[in-house]
Structures are given as C-alpha cells and as structure tokens.
Amino acid sequence: MARSSSLEPEPSPPRRAARGSRTGRPVMALLDLLGRRWSLRVLWELRSGRRTFRDLCKACEGVSPGSLNLRLHELREARLIDLEEGEGFGLAPLGTELVERFLPLVEWSERWARAARSHR
C-alpha cells in the first residue's frame, strides 16, 4: 500500500507487544489494541465528535475511570485519538480512517441481526 505524499509522520506501533504473537506484525499489534476492553467502544463513541473524559465515562456505561484513562492513554500513544485542551478527546486522522473501515462491518452486523431474528 503506497503512502501518501503528505508530511504526516509515520505512525508508531503501540509499545506493548501483541499478546500471543512473536511476529511483530502491525496487524497483530492493532488487533491486540482493539481487543482490549473498551478500546473499540471509545473509538466508536468518538466517531461523532469530541468528548470530555466525563462524557466518555457516561457514554461507555460501566467503564471505571481508571480503565478509561488507561485506554485513552493507549489510544493516544497509538495515535488513534488526540486530546485538545478545552475540547476533549477526538479521533486523530488515523483513528478517523480506522472508524471509517468499521462501517461495512456495522452494515453487515445489522443484516446478521435481522437474519438471526427471522430464524427464531
């Protein structure tokens, strides 16, 4: 896949190695990060705009402040989200691109749910 010619710096992979993988492949690091509890939910809740820490706590019902803080730190380190003082957390360009890639999966999941309901 060719890189764009923009001056955007290369993303750095998460510092924590992917669990159960010795390959060091970026996809394994991504799957590890997204597989951590609350990671996908945080990204999903930020798809419509910036949110404060308090707003994210409310949107992610059941998350503890400590767990949310850890996920936010990891997602910022992975350059999927950013934090603007006074405005809160939001998707960084790489995070926006990742969430856009979820949309076909969302459409598929809705068809799957309809099919599952029709077979009851």
Side-chain angles (χ1 to χ4, degrees), residues 3-10:
R3 248 186 83 64
S4 69
S5 61
S6 72
L7 297 176
E8 185 176 313
E10 285 286 331

Side-chain angles (χ1 to χ4, degrees), residues 7-112:
L7 297 176
E8 185 176 313
E10 285 286 331
S12 57
R15 291 188 183 139
R16 191 181 302 178
R19 293 182 291 249
S21 173
R22 297 181 199 173
T23 65
R25 292 182 183 147
V27 71
M28 296 309 295
L30 177 64
L31 291 174
D32 178 56
L33 176 62
L34 297 180
R36 295 176 193 161
R37 189 157 190 199
W38 302 110
S39 291
L40 284 170
R41 180 68 182 266
V42 167
L43 292 170
W44 191 249
E45 295 299 338
L46 293 174
R47 78 191 183 284
S48 57
R50 294 195 168 275
R51 290 180 176 251
T52 65
F53 185 87
R54 181 174 283 155
D55 290 337
L56 278 171
C57 270
K58 288 179 187 175
C60 300
E61 301 166 19
V63 68
S64 71
S67 292
L68 180 58
N69 192 46
L70 178 60
R71 289 303 161 253
L72 291 171
H73 174 76
E74 291 171 343
L75 293 168
R76 285 180 69 198
E77 187 176 71
R79 297 184 48 214
L80 297 177
I81 67 170
D82 59 26
L83 174 62
E84 286 190 20
E85 194 170 325
E87 294 189 35
F89 295 93
L91 293 174
L94 287 170
T96 299
E97 183 181 347
L98 178 61
V99 169
E100 287 171 356
R101 293 179 187 276
F102 294 157
L103 298 179
L105 186 59
V106 171
E107 292 171 10
W108 180 89
S109 70
E110 290 167 356
R111 286 192 305 275
W112 173 62

